[in-house]
Amino acid sequence: MPDVMLEDLLRELAPQVLGALVRRTGDFDAAEDALQEALLAAATQWPAEVVPGNPRAWLISVAHRRMIDAIRSEVSRRNRETANAIRDPQGLSPTASDPADTVVAALTEAGLSDLASPPGGVHSEAVGISSGHDDSTDEDDRDDTLTLFFLCCHPALTPASAIALTLRAVGGLTTEEIARAFLLPERTMAQRIARAKKRLAAEARPFAMPVAANGQRGEWHERLDNVLRVLYLIYTEGHTSGGERLHRGDLSGEAIRLARALFRALPDNPEVTGLLALLLLTDARRAARTGEHGELIPLAEQDRALWDREMIIEGVRLATASVRSGLIGPYQIQAAIAALHAQALRPENTDWPRILLLYNALERQAPNPMVTLNRAVALAMVHGPHAGLDLADTLSESLAGSHRLDAVRGHLHEMAGDTEEAVAAYTAAARATTSLPERDYLTIRAARLRRA
Amino acid sequence: MKYMLIKTCGPAAHCDTFIGDWTPEEIQANIDFQHALGEQLAKSGELVDAQGLADPGQARIVMSDGRSAPVVTDGPFPETKEFLAGYWIVDVDSAERAIEIAAQASASPGPGGRPIGEYIEVRAIMDAPAVDL
């Protein structure tokens, strides 16, 4: 197998293997170490030999054996240290007849008794590398990427911690890479990840899959919403981190890669499909969003020839598939709106009436002032700027001090030809924003109107 | 979200004596407090950077019209209290958290171990725009 293909295969399998190990043992750090060793073993052995029939099962069993070995040597080390001090009739000696007992004992000792009997039991026998067959059970055939997603996006974690842990564990990025993406010192990021793991360790059964309430929006859905939100935040972070730089392609790309992994695990969930579609359709516009010097270019003024057609085709296909089952959730609806924008070859071809209907639906689903503000823009495009301004005015209290409200007011006043009001709104928005390119854009926009 | 928490050289709300006039123990207590705060922020994964600046007495003001030789003036200046003394840069989940950290920094110990109530300025650091999804 060529190195590039092997690398891709290992990258795709890594979170699934890590998920399985964490689910079995409950030890995040040890699982990560063992995974690295197993990946190394695969990278050195597979190109020379035949890739095993079930590479994931191979990696799981090799890594799991490493974990057992590590626990064993840790236990025997501790036994040597305490041998004279404690007479233990149970004897956690490394020569215990059943290695699984040793693992259970070690986990119990570590206060992880709940985790000591994972579903399916502890596999103490690794697959023989030369035997060419694997003893994968049904247990090994489930996709543990999902387990890992639910763990890393656990509701007990702050968004920043969940983002860092997801990039580290599911995305396989190094701490240094994550720190760089967020413009933080590596030490700070390392602490953030370590704290997140500690926080999870304090939970009773952190990696227990939430139970799907029969057809009801139970805990499972809430947990999935959390995962979707974290991926969405990683994507937007890819656009907003980096001070003056508008794009951080690698994080945006990473968010899309993670959304694909989630989509593979849950291909029939409309919201998962919707999120992937939304990210693809948004990312398709990336090259057109900024000018030569990083200046912002609003949607209506973008050179649409620069939009990525391939991404749009895939995004539209996914968005269409996700709405077949009805308009269920916010990501799906936003994807549908993005698809309508993407399908307009010229701004004047935009299907604003349908976009307005979708914003109405989105506001019913997930009411929040920002959605209403976007609806005000759609309303202006369908019924004229004053209709939009009237709706925007209802947000004066809920969005007080938000530069977005003033920026929209500026655009709508400009549309209506109220130059003075537009200048005042743009100037207020420029003062309120914490984004440098946005401040430049708003300042220039106001200056142009003043000169006109 | 990144914020800069700024200390200036001006007097604090509950202490108008210069730190150089405190007892060695009081000065040490304040230094230890600053160290502990930096350590705590590093541990919580929120610290980006923290620096103190040299005394304004060493400051130089530079002015140039781009053509003739620059004009360099020495400090200190009448408005010494306006001078930046030091800063923390933190990366936090919310504006509320930035204020919470600033409040902690403000209550550093002074004469008699009493919190001096420093005035800490909290400023948002400019970022790229949110994506127009």
Side-chain angles (χ1 to χ4, degrees):
Chain A
M1 182 182 274
D3 278 357
V4 176
M5 276 173 68
L6 178 63
E7 211 171 298
D8 283 348
L9 175 67
L10 291 178
R11 210 181 143 137
E12 186 184 322
L13 290 174
Q16 303 176 29
V17 175
L18 185 60
L21 296 172
V22 168
R23 190 165 45 79
R24 284 184 186 185
T25 65
D27 189 337
F28 213 125
D29 281 323
E32 272 194 310
D33 292 344
L35 170 69
Q36 291 310 321
E37 289 187 46
L39 289 174
L40 197 62
T44 49
Q45 290 171 21
W46 292 359
E49 300 168 31
V50 180
V51 173
N54 185 340
R56 184 173 64 186
W58 188 96
L59 286 166
I60 291 174
S61 51
V62 169
H64 197 236
R65 171 137 59 161
R66 296 284 155 93
M67 285 183 86
I68 292 169
D69 289 348
I71 290 171
R72 253 192 230 163
S73 62
E74 173 63 17
V75 169
S76 61
R77 187 185 61 79
R78 250 184 288 169
N79 280 347
R80 278 197 303 276
E81 286 171 1
T82 57
N84 301 331
I86 297 169
R87 291 272 167 256
D88 180 4
Q90 292 294 315
L92 294 177
S93 75
T95 53
S97 57
D98 185 351
D101 285 348
T102 315
V103 176
V104 171
L107 290 174
T108 308
E109 194 184 337
L112 298 170
S113 51
D114 255 16
L115 320 175
S117 18
V122 175
H123 296 225
S124 54
E125 271 312 304
V127 179
I129 293 166
S130 54
S131 71
H133 84 284
D134 57 65
D135 63 349
S136 69
T137 59
D138 287 349
E139 190 55 43
D140 284 331
D141 284 336
R142 55 184 278 184
D143 186 349
D144 276 301
T145 307
L146 201 54
T147 310
L148 205 52
F149 266 123
F150 278 110
L151 177 68
C152 295
C153 305
H154 196 282
L157 299 175
T158 64
S161 305
I163 287 171
L165 201 56
T166 302
L167 288 169
R168 177 80 199 86
V170 193
L173 273 66
T174 64
T175 304
E176 189 201 353
E177 286 171 326
I178 302 167
R180 212 172 337 124
F182 287 87
L183 302 176
L184 289 173
E186 192 178 345
R187 178 171 169 235
T188 298
M189 190 48 79
Q191 285 286 4
R192 196 177 278 188
I193 292 169
R195 273 171 69 97
K197 288 180 187 170
K198 262 203 207 86
R199 182 72 195 74
L200 287 177
E203 290 287 313
R205 296 288 308 270
F207 54 89
M209 280 292 276
V211 181
N214 292 341
Q216 290 168 22
R217 283 189 61 82
E219 189 204 356
W220 199 85
H221 278 98
E222 276 169 42
R223 295 285 301 273
L224 181 63
D225 285 346
N226 227 23
V227 175
L228 293 167
R229 189 168 47 247
V230 167
L231 294 191
Y232 180 85
L233 287 172
I234 291 173
Y235 182 85
T236 53
E237 188 62 45
H239 278 273
T240 57
S241 63
E244 293 195 44
R245 275 166 304 154
L246 283 180
H247 300 307
R248 291 216 21 98
D250 42 358
L251 264 195
S252 309
E254 191 59 31
I256 290 174
R257 212 173 61 80
L258 289 167
R260 283 193 195 281
L262 187 62
F263 176 63
R264 269 198 305 272
L266 290 171
D268 302 322
N269 182 290
E271 277 293 81
V272 173
T273 312
L275 177 74
L276 178 56
L278 175 63
L279 299 188
L280 286 166
L281 290 165
T282 306
D283 216 50
R285 298 201 299 260
R286 185 198 304 205
R289 280 184 79 232
T290 49
E292 209 182 335
H293 307 292
E295 64 271 28
L296 273 186
I297 302 174
L299 187 58
E301 294 166 27
Q302 288 175 13
D303 175 359
R304 299 186 176 215
L306 295 175
W307 289 1
D308 186 322
R309 301 313 304 171
E310 229 167 287
M311 271 184 160
I312 288 176
I313 290 165
E314 190 188 3
V316 168
R317 199 169 43 76
L318 287 164
T320 309
S322 91
V323 295
R324 285 219 178 87
S325 43
L327 295 178
I328 293 165
Y331 292 109
Q332 219 199 348
I333 300 174
Q334 289 176 83
I337 292 167
L340 288 174
H341 279 300
Q343 286 168 301
L345 291 176
R346 289 195 302 274
E348 54 272 33
N349 300 350
T350 309
D351 190 345
W352 284 108
R354 194 165 294 177
I355 289 175
L356 179 58
L357 288 176
L358 285 167
Y359 273 122
N360 289 339
L362 184 58
E363 205 174 20
R364 278 196 302 273
Q365 282 274 343
N368 86 56
M370 277 308 187
V371 173
T372 309
L373 189 60
N374 286 330
R375 186 164 72 86
V377 174
L379 199 63
M381 299 309 286
V382 178
H383 299 296
H386 291 292
L389 281 164
D390 287 345
L391 179 57
D393 284 343
T394 64
L395 300 168
S396 295
E397 211 155 298
S398 52
L399 288 181
S402 149
H403 74 281
R404 291 286 304 276
L405 175 59
D406 279 318
V408 165
R409 275 186 177 141
H411 277 284
L412 298 185
H413 278 301
E414 188 179 348
M415 222 172 120
D418 322 325
T419 307
E420 217 168 301
E421 287 90 340
V423 169
Y426 282 140
T427 308
R431 265 203 305 270
T433 183
T434 56
S435 148
L436 219 42
E438 214 155 356
R439 185 167 71 185
D440 294 346
Y441 165 80
L442 293 160
T443 308
I444 290 168
R445 200 124 188 146
R448 277 193 201 136
L449 280 180
R450 262 200 309 270
R451 197 180 50 195
Chain B
M1 291 169 264
K2 292 196 176 82
Y3 288 87
M4 187 185 240
L5 314 183
I6 300 168
K7 293 157 68 99
T8 52
C9 299
H14 306 301
C15 169
D16 48 14
T17 51
F18 173 60
I19 189 163
D21 300 332
W22 302 358
T23 68
E25 293 74 24
E26 287 165 345
I27 297 172
Q28 190 58 52
N30 190 280
I31 292 169
D32 292 345
F33 173 91
Q34 308 295 350
H35 276 301
L37 179 60
E39 208 46 48
Q40 177 211 311
L41 293 173
K43 273 215 179 68
S44 65
E46 292 170 308
L47 184 70
V48 181
D49 188 26
Q51 301 292 342
L53 303 186
D55 190 273
Q58 304 177 38
R60 302 285 175 273
I61 302 275
V62 180
M63 191 284 295
S64 166
D65 59 7
R67 288 189 303 278
S68 29
V71 181
V72 182
T73 6
D74 288 359
F77 311 86
E79 324 74 30
T80 295
K81 61 177 187 304
E82 309 286 335
F83 270 77
L84 188 64
Y87 64 84
W88 293 268
I89 295 178
V90 291
D91 184 36
V92 289
D93 278 325
S94 66
E96 289 74 23
R97 175 62 187 148
I99 287 169
E100 197 175 276
I101 295 169
Q104 217 184 325
S106 167
S108 69
R114 287 182 304 278
I116 61 175
E118 265 189 286
Y119 294 104
I120 307 283
E121 191 179 326
V122 178
R123 301 285 300 273
I125 291 179
M126 293 299 259
D127 201 343
V131 59
D132 58 339
L133 289 175

